[in-house]
Amino acid sequence: MTSTTAGERTPPARHEAGLPLALVGMLLFISSEVMFFGGLFATYFSARAGFPGEWGAQSMGAPELEILPIALPITLILMTSSFTMHFAVQAIRHDRVGAMRFWLAITLLLGVTFLIGQVYDYTTLGFGISDGVFGTVFYALTGFHGAHVFGGAIGLTILVARAAGGQFSSRNHVAVEAVSFYWHFVDVVWIGLFLTLYFLR
Amino acid sequence: MATTTLAPEAPAYQRSWVIEWLTTVDHKKIGILYILNSFVFFFGAGILALLVRSELAVPGLQILDESTFNQAFTMHGTLMVFLFIVPMMSGFGNYIVPLQLGAPDMAFPRINALSFWMLPLGGLLLISGYLFGGAAAGGWTGYNPLTQERFSPGVGMDLWIMGLTVVGTASILGSVNFITTIFKMRAPGMSLFRMPIFTWTILVTQTLILLATPVLAAGLIALFIDRNYGGSFFDPSVGGDPILWQHVFWFFGHPEVYIVILPALGVVSEILPVFSRKPLFGYHAFVYATVAIGLLSFSVWAHHMFTTGVVFLPFFTFMTALIAVPTGVKMFNWMATLWRGSLVFATPMLFALGLISMFLIGGISGVMMASAPIDFHLQDTYFAVAHLHYVFFGGAAFGVFAATYYWFPKMTGRRLNEFVGKIHFGLIFLGFNLAFFPMHELGIQGMPRRIADYSPDAGWTVMNMLSTGGAFLIALSMIPFVVNVVATLINGERVGDDPWEGNTLEWATSSPPPAYNFDRLPPIRSERPMFDLRHKHDPAVHHELATAEAES
């Protein structure tokens, strides 16, 4: 081995109790992401609270945001993908490698569909990021959420590739669990965003 | 070629030391890289401070103009906070925490290397503004609308935003690593309430980094969108709010103050017991006080914004004053630790005592400004500059030097020369007080911070001269320090594995420690396993150990 730093010394064997290291790390990382989106949500509510006129897309002379035909369907798609991700995790916990591959691929597909839907939604809105404070916070929030979905999709792609290489089993699939934590988090953020932007208005 | 079987002891393929240090994932080497990188930025930011102080020595503009002056203090503050003091403490944490826990390495060694290497990258991004028409000049706090496109048109401001985002991301990754390490990698017997105090302060600090830095990242990104994509987060003409930046910045910025100071207080709490030959008085109280400071630090941010008129003054005054209580608990812990101890005035101890006294002054001036009526008078004056330097320099930077003198033998096997170390301490202590104590008076007289020039009739000249003299004395004190480090590395006194008779596990292995740190660990039955090991035949210690054994 060439990866050790001092030649003959190797790390001592460790036995782990409780959550694996990678999951603890992922949970901590997610808590920092919660604070990141907390900051962005705070800018949204601050802008909304201090806005002099009527709040929303109308304030920039654009049509009011509609949940159809795009926003609601892509929301349902992303929520569904959380379930399919969970099916993938359940499958590998019971060593059903084929089922895991299938559900991972479906999850990835749904995630990509969400992103395409969101980009299409952007083209129909009729306002831009520089048209007013609502436009700024709208695109910042949905854009950064979209970037996180994209990050999750990269994670899923890596999982699909590793699954194709036969790397996972019921005893060894911490990466699947970690990506699933992240994916559920991204889904929950979107539900918050959807309710805030399209319902609370 | 004949097939041979490698013996398990066969040495691995040896790389050149350059490749070895550039690609290392060993927490000790990464820790040393952090420390070296931080010292480089410390010296750079120190030179900027000398420029600022030289300009202010006498009225009139001599060596800088207003624009370069603004860049100098902005980059001085930004680099000192984000690339010296925070990563420096992460560096000591990287080196010491796994050792104190009895762990072979950090939880995620490769992420550890990544979070280090993002630092010099972010730092270079920050200062590269000087190459492209001028660095950022909006102060380290980057207030809006000053930092908007209209008032800071240069690309230096954007590079400042990008650099800070990179540095912030690095510290978030680092905090994930530290917290996972502390919760998951402790040696058998190392319960949370047997962890050394330094590790406790690192745990609280890294939790603050984990939760506060992303908020700054959100604010920086909002500012970047405003500047580059026509956004209006902070633009009041279309419904944005410049005060929002102050909320976001200080929601991060005040926990940041404790991110800076808590590990230094942890260093003091490691050093005092060793050089008083006593256990730390009130270990549990100290831990609870540290956690309390961490929690309270999220509820005081608006005391930076009293004069904006949009914050509820009594609440933030009360919460800010409340932080003095756990801090006072720590002062009491330290005093009681020193009381009737067999004090050894080695250089680490001198810096620790210097820290306690200087941090006390900084704490008292902080409580003064927590009172809203007084703050209305002192806001943005040199009094605030004096206060923050008594906390950041007299507190945190003295902690850095204390840690350097204390753990240098651990990292190298050689002890820094005590005589030269004491000269260093004497010069820096004198220079520091000469530089920053007069600023209290200047602030009370109304001298605003961040001005390049002042009237000769203002009556501020003498104290500014003194302050500048002090700054150069601090610079002078760096000469014995650097000489000491270099000379000791070349030909210093070899002092064995445990020169100070330390209490904690980093002294249980060789100096410097081998890869993966430990071949065997002493039993861990208290927060002072090395003390227990040395005195295991002492009947009193033996009895305590037996009791702890029965309980665990």
PDB file of all heavy atoms in Angstrom, chain B residues 215-234:
ATOM      1  N   VAL B 215     -25.065  30.863   7.562  1.00  0.00           N
ATOM      2  CA  VAL B 215     -25.874  32.088   7.485  1.00  0.00           C
ATOM      3  C   VAL B 215     -25.072  33.199   6.813  1.00  0.00           C
ATOM      4  O   VAL B 215     -25.597  33.948   5.984  1.00  0.00           O
ATOM      5  CB  VAL B 215     -26.355  32.497   8.887  1.00  0.00           C
ATOM      6  CG1 VAL B 215     -27.197  33.751   8.823  1.00  0.00           C
ATOM      7  CG2 VAL B 215     -27.126  31.365   9.534  1.00  0.00           C
ATOM      8  N   LEU B 216     -23.778  33.277   7.158  1.00  0.00           N
ATOM      9  CA  LEU B 216     -22.923  34.247   6.463  1.00  0.00           C
ATOM     10  C   LEU B 216     -22.855  33.914   4.981  1.00  0.00           C
ATOM     11  O   LEU B 216     -22.924  34.809   4.130  1.00  0.00           O
ATOM     12  CB  LEU B 216     -21.505  34.239   7.054  1.00  0.00           C
ATOM     13  CG  LEU B 216     -20.512  35.130   6.294  1.00  0.00           C
ATOM     14  CD1 LEU B 216     -20.835  36.598   6.512  1.00  0.00           C
ATOM     15  CD2 LEU B 216     -19.081  34.853   6.691  1.00  0.00           C
ATOM     16  N   ALA B 217     -22.736  32.619   4.674  1.00  0.00           N
ATOM     17  CA  ALA B 217     -22.667  32.215   3.266  1.00  0.00           C
ATOM     18  C   ALA B 217     -23.918  32.684   2.529  1.00  0.00           C
ATOM     19  O   ALA B 217     -23.823  33.215   1.409  1.00  0.00           O
ATOM     20  CB  ALA B 217     -22.508  30.705   3.153  1.00  0.00           C
ATOM     21  N   ALA B 218     -25.099  32.523   3.164  1.00  0.00           N
ATOM     22  CA  ALA B 218     -26.340  32.985   2.528  1.00  0.00           C
ATOM     23  C   ALA B 218     -26.274  34.488   2.278  1.00  0.00           C
ATOM     24  O   ALA B 218     -26.634  34.972   1.198  1.00  0.00           O
ATOM     25  CB  ALA B 218     -27.537  32.628   3.414  1.00  0.00           C
ATOM     26  N   GLY B 219     -25.783  35.232   3.274  1.00  0.00           N
ATOM     27  CA  GLY B 219     -25.682  36.681   3.117  1.00  0.00           C
ATOM     28  C   GLY B 219     -24.698  37.074   2.027  1.00  0.00           C
ATOM     29  O   GLY B 219     -24.961  37.977   1.224  1.00  0.00           O
ATOM     30  N   LEU B 220     -23.549  36.382   1.984  1.00  0.00           N
ATOM     31  CA  LEU B 220     -22.544  36.702   0.961  1.00  0.00           C
ATOM     32  C   LEU B 220     -23.093  36.442  -0.428  1.00  0.00           C
ATOM     33  O   LEU B 220     -22.876  37.229  -1.361  1.00  0.00           O
ATOM     34  CB  LEU B 220     -21.283  35.857   1.186  1.00  0.00           C
ATOM     35  CG  LEU B 220     -20.401  36.225   2.380  1.00  0.00           C
ATOM     36  CD1 LEU B 220     -19.355  35.154   2.616  1.00  0.00           C
ATOM     37  CD2 LEU B 220     -19.733  37.570   2.159  1.00  0.00           C
ATOM     38  N   ILE B 221     -23.833  35.340  -0.555  1.00  0.00           N
ATOM     39  CA  ILE B 221     -24.390  35.006  -1.860  1.00  0.00           C
ATOM     40  C   ILE B 221     -25.440  36.041  -2.258  1.00  0.00           C
ATOM     41  O   ILE B 221     -25.506  36.477  -3.414  1.00  0.00           O
ATOM     42  CB  ILE B 221     -24.947  33.573  -1.833  1.00  0.00           C
ATOM     43  CG1 ILE B 221     -23.778  32.590  -1.883  1.00  0.00           C
ATOM     44  CG2 ILE B 221     -25.895  33.328  -2.985  1.00  0.00           C
ATOM     45  CD1 ILE B 221     -24.134  31.190  -1.477  1.00  0.00           C
ATOM     46  N   ALA B 222     -26.245  36.472  -1.273  1.00  0.00           N
ATOM     47  CA  ALA B 222     -27.230  37.517  -1.560  1.00  0.00           C
ATOM     48  C   ALA B 222     -26.533  38.780  -2.051  1.00  0.00           C
ATOM     49  O   ALA B 222     -26.954  39.406  -3.028  1.00  0.00           O
ATOM     50  CB  ALA B 222     -28.050  37.806  -0.310  1.00  0.00           C
ATOM     51  N   LEU B 223     -25.432  39.134  -1.391  1.00  0.00           N
ATOM     52  CA  LEU B 223     -24.692  40.329  -1.795  1.00  0.00           C
ATOM     53  C   LEU B 223     -24.121  40.161  -3.202  1.00  0.00           C
ATOM     54  O   LEU B 223     -24.153  41.081  -4.025  1.00  0.00           O
ATOM     55  CB  LEU B 223     -23.564  40.596  -0.789  1.00  0.00           C
ATOM     56  CG  LEU B 223     -22.669  41.810  -1.037  1.00  0.00           C
ATOM     57  CD1 LEU B 223     -23.495  43.080  -1.091  1.00  0.00           C
ATOM     58  CD2 LEU B 223     -21.614  41.922   0.056  1.00  0.00           C
ATOM     59  N   PHE B 224     -23.635  38.948  -3.474  1.00  0.00           N
ATOM     60  CA  PHE B 224     -23.068  38.675  -4.801  1.00  0.00           C
ATOM     61  C   PHE B 224     -24.145  38.803  -5.873  1.00  0.00           C
ATOM     62  O   PHE B 224     -23.906  39.355  -6.953  1.00  0.00           O
ATOM     63  CB  PHE B 224     -22.464  37.265  -4.805  1.00  0.00           C
ATOM     64  CG  PHE B 224     -21.547  37.003  -5.961  1.00  0.00           C
ATOM     65  CD1 PHE B 224     -20.240  37.458  -5.935  1.00  0.00           C
ATOM     66  CD2 PHE B 224     -21.992  36.314  -7.084  1.00  0.00           C
ATOM     67  CE1 PHE B 224     -19.392  37.233  -7.001  1.00  0.00           C
ATOM     68  CE2 PHE B 224     -21.140  36.086  -8.153  1.00  0.00           C
ATOM     69  CZ  PHE B 224     -19.841  36.541  -8.114  1.00  0.00           C
ATOM     70  N   ILE B 225     -25.353  38.298  -5.568  1.00  0.00           N
ATOM     71  CA  ILE B 225     -26.463  38.411  -6.534  1.00  0.00           C
ATOM     72  C   ILE B 225     -26.810  39.872  -6.756  1.00  0.00           C
ATOM     73  O   ILE B 225     -27.013  40.319  -7.890  1.00  0.00           O
ATOM     74  CB  ILE B 225     -27.675  37.601  -6.020  1.00  0.00           C
ATOM     75  CG1 ILE B 225     -27.385  36.098  -6.087  1.00  0.00           C
ATOM     76  CG2 ILE B 225     -28.926  37.934  -6.823  1.00  0.00           C
ATOM     77  CD1 ILE B 225     -28.453  35.239  -5.455  1.00  0.00           C
ATOM     78  N   ASP B 226     -26.855  40.634  -5.670  1.00  0.00           N
ATOM     79  CA  ASP B 226     -27.147  42.068  -5.806  1.00  0.00           C
ATOM     80  C   ASP B 226     -26.129  42.752  -6.710  1.00  0.00           C
ATOM     81  O   ASP B 226     -26.483  43.551  -7.570  1.00  0.00           O
ATOM     82  CB  ASP B 226     -27.114  42.745  -4.427  1.00  0.00           C
ATOM     83  CG  ASP B 226     -28.474  42.733  -3.770  1.00  0.00           C
ATOM     84  OD1 ASP B 226     -29.332  41.948  -4.209  1.00  0.00           O
ATOM     85  OD2 ASP B 226     -28.681  43.507  -2.820  1.00  0.00           O
ATOM     86  N   ARG B 227     -24.864  42.428  -6.503  1.00  0.00           N
ATOM     87  CA  ARG B 227     -23.815  43.136  -7.236  1.00  0.00           C
ATOM     88  C   ARG B 227     -23.730  42.708  -8.693  1.00  0.00           C
ATOM     89  O   ARG B 227     -23.422  43.516  -9.565  1.00  0.00           O
ATOM     90  CB  ARG B 227     -22.448  42.886  -6.575  1.00  0.00           C
ATOM     91  CG  ARG B 227     -22.256  43.582  -5.250  1.00  0.00           C
ATOM     92  CD  ARG B 227     -20.919  43.194  -4.636  1.00  0.00           C
ATOM     93  NE  ARG B 227     -19.806  43.475  -5.528  1.00  0.00           N
ATOM     94  CZ  ARG B 227     -19.219  44.664  -5.628  1.00  0.00           C
ATOM     95  NH1 ARG B 227     -19.618  45.657  -4.895  1.00  0.00           N
ATOM     96  NH2 ARG B 227     -18.222  44.842  -6.479  1.00  0.00           N
ATOM     97  N   ASN B 228     -23.973  41.431  -8.954  1.00  0.00           N
ATOM     98  CA  ASN B 228     -23.658  40.911 -10.288  1.00  0.00           C
ATOM     99  C   ASN B 228     -24.861  40.546 -11.134  1.00  0.00           C
ATOM    100  O   ASN B 228     -24.744  40.459 -12.346  1.00  0.00           O
ATOM    101  CB  ASN B 228     -22.746  39.694 -10.164  1.00  0.00           C
ATOM    102  CG  ASN B 228     -21.394  40.062  -9.612  1.00  0.00           C
ATOM    103  OD1 ASN B 228     -20.581  40.643 -10.314  1.00  0.00           O
ATOM    104  ND2 ASN B 228     -21.169  39.781  -8.341  1.00  0.00           N
ATOM    105  N   TYR B 229     -26.002  40.297 -10.520  1.00  0.00           N
ATOM    106  CA  TYR B 229     -27.152  39.859 -11.303  1.00  0.00           C
ATOM    107  C   TYR B 229     -28.344  40.790 -11.132  1.00  0.00           C
ATOM    108  O   TYR B 229     -29.478  40.403 -11.368  1.00  0.00           O
ATOM    109  CB  TYR B 229     -27.530  38.421 -10.935  1.00  0.00           C
ATOM    110  CG  TYR B 229     -26.372  37.467 -11.097  1.00  0.00           C
ATOM    111  CD1 TYR B 229     -25.763  36.897 -10.002  1.00  0.00           C
ATOM    112  CD2 TYR B 229     -25.862  37.181 -12.366  1.00  0.00           C
ATOM    113  CE1 TYR B 229     -24.678  36.047 -10.140  1.00  0.00           C
ATOM    114  CE2 TYR B 229     -24.784  36.337 -12.516  1.00  0.00           C
ATOM    115  CZ  TYR B 229     -24.191  35.771 -11.404  1.00  0.00           C
ATOM    116  OH  TYR B 229     -23.116  34.943 -11.557  1.00  0.00           O
ATOM    117  N   GLY B 230     -28.075  42.004 -10.658  1.00  0.00           N
ATOM    118  CA  GLY B 230     -29.158  42.981 -10.536  1.00  0.00           C
ATOM    119  C   GLY B 230     -30.169  42.652  -9.466  1.00  0.00           C
ATOM    120  O   GLY B 230     -31.312  43.101  -9.523  1.00  0.00           O
ATOM    121  N   GLY B 231     -29.795  41.869  -8.498  1.00  0.00           N
ATOM    122  CA  GLY B 231     -30.707  41.551  -7.404  1.00  0.00           C
ATOM    123  C   GLY B 231     -30.962  42.752  -6.518  1.00  0.00           C
ATOM    124  O   GLY B 231     -30.318  43.802  -6.653  1.00  0.00           O
ATOM    125  N   SER B 232     -31.941  42.632  -5.627  1.00  0.00           N
ATOM    126  CA  SER B 232     -32.261  43.783  -4.781  1.00  0.00           C
ATOM    127  C   SER B 232     -32.521  43.356  -3.344  1.00  0.00           C
ATOM    128  O   SER B 232     -33.404  43.891  -2.694  1.00  0.00           O
ATOM    129  CB  SER B 232     -33.448  44.537  -5.354  1.00  0.00           C
ATOM    130  OG  SER B 232     -34.427  43.635  -5.821  1.00  0.00           O
ATOM    131  N   PHE B 233     -31.740  42.378  -2.843  1.00  0.00           N
ATOM    132  CA  PHE B 233     -31.868  41.989  -1.441  1.00  0.00           C
ATOM    133  C   PHE B 233     -31.715  43.194  -0.516  1.00  0.00           C
ATOM    134  O   PHE B 233     -32.470  43.353   0.431  1.00  0.00           O
ATOM    135  CB  PHE B 233     -30.764  40.983  -1.076  1.00  0.00           C
ATOM    136  CG  PHE B 233     -31.044  39.572  -1.468  1.00  0.00           C
ATOM    137  CD1 PHE B 233     -30.401  39.003  -2.553  1.00  0.00           C
ATOM    138  CD2 PHE B 233     -31.935  38.810  -0.737  1.00  0.00           C
ATOM    139  CE1 PHE B 233     -30.642  37.689  -2.898  1.00  0.00           C
ATOM    140  CE2 PHE B 233     -32.181  37.491  -1.080  1.00  0.00           C
ATOM    141  CZ  PHE B 233     -31.528  36.936  -2.170  1.00  0.00           C
ATOM    142  N   PHE B 234     -30.688  43.999  -0.816  1.00  0.00           N
ATOM    143  CA  PHE B 234     -30.322  45.067   0.115  1.00  0.00           C
ATOM    144  C   PHE B 234     -30.609  46.442  -0.474  1.00  0.00           C
ATOM    145  O   PHE B 234     -30.095  47.442   0.004  1.00  0.00           O
ATOM    146  CB  PHE B 234     -28.844  44.932   0.500  1.00  0.00           C
ATOM    147  CG  PHE B 234     -28.488  43.560   1.011  1.00  0.00           C
ATOM    148  CD1 PHE B 234     -27.557  42.766   0.343  1.00  0.00           C
ATOM    149  CD2 PHE B 234     -29.104  43.045   2.140  1.00  0.00           C
ATOM    150  CE1 PHE B 234     -27.246  41.498   0.815  1.00  0.00           C
ATOM    151  CE2 PHE B 234     -28.802  41.779   2.615  1.00  0.00           C
ATOM    152  CZ  PHE B 234     -27.867  40.998   1.948  1.00  0.00           C
TER     153      PHE B 234
END
